[in-house]
Amino acid sequence: MSTVQVAAKRVAQAVETAWQAYLRGEVATQTRGQTLPHTMHQFVMVELPAKVADPQAWPAIAREMRIFLNMLGVVAS
């Protein structure tokens, strides 16, 4: 397993833990509704694993993860 795949797996585990806490009401957000948090969860749990499987997609993944982190800042602020 590559370093990128290991990192993606760790991110997915952290996001899944956060998502479950969010669903239990343990995580407050600055956004209304579940649209943005749900989209972020879908990206990490569905789209990211598919992209990580293709090493040619790794540069794009780095850019998308920066966007994801910016979105996280918006949701958490």
Side-chain angles (χ1 to χ4, degrees), residues 1-76:
M1 189 175 286
S2 74
T3 303
V4 171
Q5 291 167 319
V6 170
K9 186 174 181 176
R10 288 182 182 159
V11 168
Q13 290 169 337
V15 166
E16 183 60 29
T17 299
W19 177 249
Q20 293 304 317
Y22 173 77
L23 291 176
R24 290 190 304 270
E26 298 170 3
V27 176
T29 65
Q30 296 299 318
T31 60
R32 292 181 184 221
Q34 290 186 354
T35 303
L36 189 54
H38 183 263
T39 300
M40 294 170 70
H41 180 261
Q42 282 295 110
F43 167 72
V44 171
M45 303 308 292
V46 177
E47 296 174 34
L48 186 59
K51 291 179 181 186
V52 166
D54 178 10
Q56 292 182 344
W58 293 353
I61 291 170
R63 183 179 66 254
E64 291 174 359
M65 286 305 296
R66 283 191 294 276
I67 293 168
F68 177 85
L69 291 172
N70 287 338
M71 288 172 56
L72 184 60
V74 169
V75 170

